[in-house]
Amino acid sequence: MRKIRSLTTLGAAVVLLAVGFILAERYFLDLGSINQKIISLGVDDQDQVRKWWKEAVIYEIYPASFKDSDGDGIGDVPGIISKLDYLHDLGVDVIHICPHYQSPQVDMGYDISDYEDVHRPYGTVEDVQALIHATHTCGMKIIFDLVINHSSDQHKWFEESRSSKDNPKRDWYFWRPARWDAEGKRHPPNNWRSHFTAPAWTWDEKTEEYYLHIYAPEMPDFNWENEETRKGLYNSSMIFWLERGIDGFRIDTVNKYSKDIKFPDAPIVEPWEETQPASEFYNNGPRIHEYLGEMKEILDRYGALTVGELSHFPFSEEGVLQFASAGSGQLNMVFNYALMALGQTRERGQHSRSPFNAPVFKKEMSRWQTFASDTDAWVTLFLENHDAPRSISRFGSDGSAEEQMRSGKMIAMLLATMTGTLFLYQGQELGLANAPRSWPVEEFKDVRSVNMARKAKEKCKHDSTCLKKEIDELWETARDHARLPMQWNSGPNAGFTDEGVTPWMRVNNDWKTKNAELQSGNSLSLLGFWKRMLRLRKEYKDLFVYGVYQSYATEAAELFVFTKVGSGKKSLTVVNMSGEEKRWEGASSILGEGCRILIENIGGGAQREEVLSAWEGRVYSTVL
Ligand code: GLC
């Protein structure tokens, strides 16, 4: 498919279209998805592939940290309702609520003990119904998290399953006998490692078998091979809420339901560890598309929007298409987890913030953009969620307040001019940054962080250099950064919860100078900038949402330069992803004379076209 890019220039392709569809058809004989190609060239009359959700801005809410309305230090559903106007004013179209279901909260609600009830500190089913109603009344839509790879070990289904070997629900989860070695020592059925702890199997004394958990031991994996399990899940987790009027789901761990149920040992790549990484055995198993097909039948009945968390990237293009092709995939779109992993390898610098690797970032972003225009799939745009550190700390600057805001605006320009559905995470619009490294690690509450910190202490014992290195590494990758309370105002507890209450996680140090109230009235603030950026994105949707992307190589590796073309217009985004001034050829070298700046984060860019200050960004446009 990508042959088109090397064989023709964009201009030639447009001419081809103008010359005639037949000629074009002959030219693209092997393409199969000619319509998608046409839309990707920005031709107006192909509206059939335009969808409301492609143009939507989707805002992720982490309920525990968004807004507490009843003074218990934990965010809640009425708190969310009280902020819907703020979100609408920002330009949000859809809110995504992270799990609000009943849960013992081992993994912050991703361990569900009842799909049909609500975690009491967040509210009740009635509160959630009020939220659905209020969101719709504001003209927005609402999607929930669908977490059905596993449940909590306190779900009644698991309690039944573990109660005896002949319980009718025994087979709803994976139970396997132990392996015994020559010395008579008991071992798990295989050497798989789980995401949060090792190993992926836990021994259950009562029935003397192991059960599988890809995540924490309190999160046993469902056996999707069992049809009854699947039906039970669909009814309880999907239909129950779709009937109550939600508009779709963010589908958690969407490629993990089908596993290699022979449960072979994973290859030994870390001989010094007892367990081994095994994701190839529990991702993208043989029946995954059959299961997703069943789910799609239900979801389609309700016209539900779906976005899947597709982990275990990098994927081949074909692999992703099986999930997200408009023609044959089962989901509207998926998250590209290769982006989440950027800069999070063990090779990162240990004692200070590692230098950010712009070339790798540009390559991955470009790969995804090209994917959007070369196939019939649609893509997501996101740089933050509840599982990752904050974007200005990762890709921008967490230096001075001025640098933080400037780099936050630079990121806004980058994201909001790219093709795909745009996802924002709470607080991203305010430039919330990572927790300072000076905080004790005990401030982190995430099960992953707690386990990593414990392991580090075990490993390093009294060696403080070793411990610092391990904790530095945890700091670089911790999910907790994104889970600190929202900063609503300069008052006590940042307005997240009442004065005198201890919030469930500590409020970041900078709340007095960085919060929604301060930024709301100021069009020069990051919040003000995001509002303008989101308005521009909608105003120029032919370009920014649907346009064809092309990136440009620059001498300075930290500059990210790309154009978008659509409906007879062309835009150029140029951003400096570094803290140093950089030079480049200038906008007119790409757009020609007569281009103008649509938006910029510093000002005066027209007078110094070939120079970009630290973290500077500009978006130019021209009529073709
Ligand atoms: C997803 C969620 C993450 C959770 C995991 C297990 O990756 O985003 O927060 O820990 O699934 O459900």
Side-chain angles (χ1 to χ4, degrees):
M1 278 210 179
R2 292 211 167 92
K3 265 185 266 165
I4 183 172
R5 294 226 176 276
S6 49
L7 291 176
T8 69
T9 62
L10 196 61
V14 173
V15 171
L16 270 176
L17 286 164
V19 169
F21 188 75
I22 296 171
L23 181 57
E25 204 169 28
R26 242 184 248 152
Y27 201 79
F28 301 127
L29 265 185
D30 62 331
L31 293 185
S33 59
I34 187 88
N35 283 340
Q36 182 60 28
K37 181 54 62 186
I38 292 171
I39 190 69
S40 77
L41 292 170
V43 175
D44 281 337
D45 57 3
Q46 295 300 314
D47 278 350
Q48 71 275 18
V49 295
R50 299 196 168 205
K51 305 273 187 207
W52 69 266
W53 48 266
K54 295 185 176 178
E55 297 163 21
V57 174
I58 305 186
Y59 186 97
E60 179 181 352
I61 292 176
Y62 202 64
S65 307
F66 193 62
K67 173 72 187 147
D68 176 21
S69 73
D70 60 2
D72 63 358
I74 302 169
D76 49 43
V77 174
I80 300 174
I81 296 177
S82 72
K83 295 296 180 187
L84 289 175
D85 286 344
Y86 165 85
L87 297 175
H88 190 249
D89 187 46
L90 168 61
V92 169
D93 303 293
V94 180
I95 56 173
H96 155 219
I97 312 288
C98 283
H100 59 281
Y101 313 99
Q102 185 183 294
S103 156
Q105 303 287 313
V106 168
D107 186 22
M108 292 304 295
Y110 283 90
D111 49 319
I112 297 169
S113 52
D114 188 350
Y115 291 98
E116 299 171 27
D117 204 350
V118 175
H119 180 48
R120 209 45 86 223
Y122 294 167
T124 59
V125 172
E126 288 67 40
D127 290 329
V128 173
Q129 285 193 287
L131 171 64
I132 298 168
H133 181 72
T135 310
H136 289 156
T137 307
C138 276
M140 297 188 289
K141 294 186 192 287
I142 179 166
I143 63 174
F144 284 174
D145 230 286
L146 184 61
V147 189
I148 48 181
N149 172 66
H150 45 263
S151 70
S152 159
D153 62 348
Q154 293 182 33
H155 195 293
K156 61 177 191 284
W157 295 340
F158 187 73
E159 284 173 350
E160 285 181 46
S161 183
R162 87 186 320 175
S163 66
S164 75
K165 280 188 180 158
D166 53 12
N167 184 281
K169 295 231 164 32
R170 182 66 170 181
D171 191 41
W172 281 44
Y173 297 84
F174 290 111
W175 292 94
R176 291 292 181 276
R179 289 195 294 192
W180 300 89
D181 64 21
E183 281 102 60
K185 205 173 153 228
R186 175 168 51 74
H187 294 279
N190 66 21
N191 65 358
W192 293 4
R193 181 179 303 166
S194 89
H195 282 280
F196 298 149
T197 47
W201 297 90
T202 289
W203 177 249
D204 195 55
E205 283 297 341
K206 178 131 200 268
T207 53
E208 300 200 313
E209 277 190 328
Y210 282 92
Y211 65 87
L212 177 74
H213 52 87
I214 296 305
Y215 292 92
E218 297 86 350
M219 299 159 74
D221 281 50
F222 281 114
N223 175 11
W224 276 69
E225 303 282 326
N226 183 335
E227 194 182 340
E228 233 187 280
T229 316
R230 302 202 298 275
K231 285 200 177 132
L233 270 173
Y234 301 153
N235 282 327
S236 191
S237 66
M238 291 161 60
I239 295 174
F240 181 87
W241 290 106
L242 288 165
E243 282 293 324
R244 280 162 181 75
I246 62 163
D247 302 289
F249 290 107
R250 174 259 187 200
I251 310 185
D252 192 60
T253 57
V254 75
N255 51 339
K256 288 194 167 58
Y257 311 149
S258 169
K259 304 175 168 79
D260 184 338
I261 53 163
K262 290 197 202 89
F263 297 115
D265 273 332
I268 298 177
V269 291
E270 296 177 8
W272 60 92
E273 297 280 357
E274 268 182 43
T275 60
Q276 302 297 321
S279 40
E280 68 205 80
F281 298 100
Y282 58 73
N283 279 288
N284 313 316
R287 297 183 69 185
I288 187 67
H289 293 289
E290 176 194 337
Y291 300 155
L292 292 180
E294 282 180 4
M295 285 166 64
K296 184 171 160 59
E297 268 177 37
I298 298 169
L299 293 160
D300 282 353
R301 287 211 298 271
Y302 294 89
L305 166 68
T306 52
V307 50
E309 183 202 25
L310 200 56
S311 45
H312 200 47
F313 261 74
F315 252 78
S316 65
E317 187 168 287
E318 289 68 32
V320 177
L321 279 176
Q322 279 187 297
F323 288 89
S325 152
S328 56
Q330 297 101 6
L331 303 166
N332 291 138
M333 52 194 157
V334 295
F335 291 119
N336 172 0
Y337 265 71
L339 278 174
M340 297 298 292
L342 282 180
Q344 296 205 354
T345 60
R346 293 183 72 88
E347 289 81 55
R348 289 200 77 172
Q350 304 295 349
H351 300 293
S352 58
R353 209 176 75 79
S354 318
F356 164 66
N357 189 341
V360 178
F361 178 86
K362 290 194 288 188
K363 194 166 160 220
E364 190 53 41
M365 291 298 264
S366 291
R367 179 168 87 103
W368 202 225
Q369 286 294 291
T370 316
F371 181 69
S373 47
D374 275 359
T375 69
D376 76 342
W378 189 246
V379 298
T380 50
L381 288 169
F382 76 105
L383 287 179
E384 285 194 27
N385 67 20
H386 66 285
D387 287 334
R390 291 292 188 172
S391 62
I392 62 169
S393 303
R394 285 175 77 193
F395 309 118
S397 165
D398 50 13
S400 71
E402 164 63 23
E403 278 175 345
Q404 290 191 24
M405 291 302 111
R406 204 189 270 186
S407 66
K409 290 175 185 173
M410 177 278 288
I411 289 171
M413 277 182 269
L414 202 61
L415 278 180
T417 57
M418 283 192 170
T419 293
T421 297
L422 179 54
F423 287 76
L424 282 181
Y425 179 72
Q426 67 182 42
Q428 184 177 356
E429 75 280 15
L430 305 173
L432 299 195
N434 283 355
R437 180 63 186 87
S438 55
W439 282 14
V441 73
E442 288 69 31
E443 296 290 356
F444 283 179
K445 312 282 186 236
D446 177 22
V447 56
R448 175 182 175 274
S449 305
V450 170
N451 284 333
M452 277 177 79
R454 186 179 28 80
K455 226 178 148 196
K457 283 177 196 158
E458 281 163 17
K459 177 178 158 193
C460 301
K461 304 240 164 36
H462 301 295
D463 179 347
S464 59
T465 314
C466 160
L467 190 62
K468 179 173 185 312
K469 185 168 163 278
E470 293 288 319
I471 302 297
D472 281 349
E473 193 168 299
L474 161 58
W475 222 263
E476 291 286 333
T477 59
R479 311 194 295 181
D480 305 73
H481 296 295
R483 302 177 180 187
L484 308 185
M486 263 295 271
Q487 298 174 195
W488 292 109
N489 59 41
S490 312
N493 284 324
F496 162 70
T497 184
D498 298 345
E499 183 169 9
V501 172
T502 307
W504 80 279
M505 276 198 85
R506 181 169 166 182
V507 176
N508 210 340
N509 295 1
D510 56 5
W511 93 92
K512 284 200 173 138
T513 51
K514 193 196 277 176
N515 60 62
E517 195 175 86
L518 274 181
Q519 294 192 21
S520 279
N522 177 1
S523 62
L524 298 178
S525 66
L526 180 55
L527 178 62
F529 194 85
W530 264 110
K531 285 186 198 172
R532 280 168 63 205
M533 216 48 248
L534 296 183
R535 273 203 305 272
L536 272 180
R537 179 170 172 82
K538 290 200 167 127
E539 195 184 328
Y540 292 85
K541 67 179 179 193
D542 292 344
L543 270 179
F544 297 144
V545 178
Y546 293 108
V548 177
Y549 170 93
Q550 188 183 344
S551 65
Y552 292 80
T554 49
E555 218 178 288
E558 296 82 1
L559 291 186
F560 196 172
V561 180
F562 59 86
T563 54
K564 298 292 293 292
V565 175
S567 293
K569 296 191 199 77
K570 187 169 187 173
S571 67
L572 169 70
T573 303
V574 50
V575 300
N576 179 359
M577 303 194 77
S578 82
E580 286 146 26
E581 183 179 289
K582 301 283 171 198
R583 297 191 74 82
W584 69 307
E585 295 83 347
S588 38
S589 70
I590 295 174
L591 293 187
E593 298 302 326
C595 59
R596 65 187 182 100
I597 294 181
L598 263 187
I599 190 162
E600 57 186 330
N601 64 350
I602 296 188
Q607 284 75 54
R608 38 185 188 87
E609 196 183 299
E610 290 169 18
V611 179
L612 282 159
S613 302
W615 312 113
E616 182 167 6
R618 298 176 206 145
V619 180
Y620 296 84
S621 78
T622 191
V623 175
L624 291 176

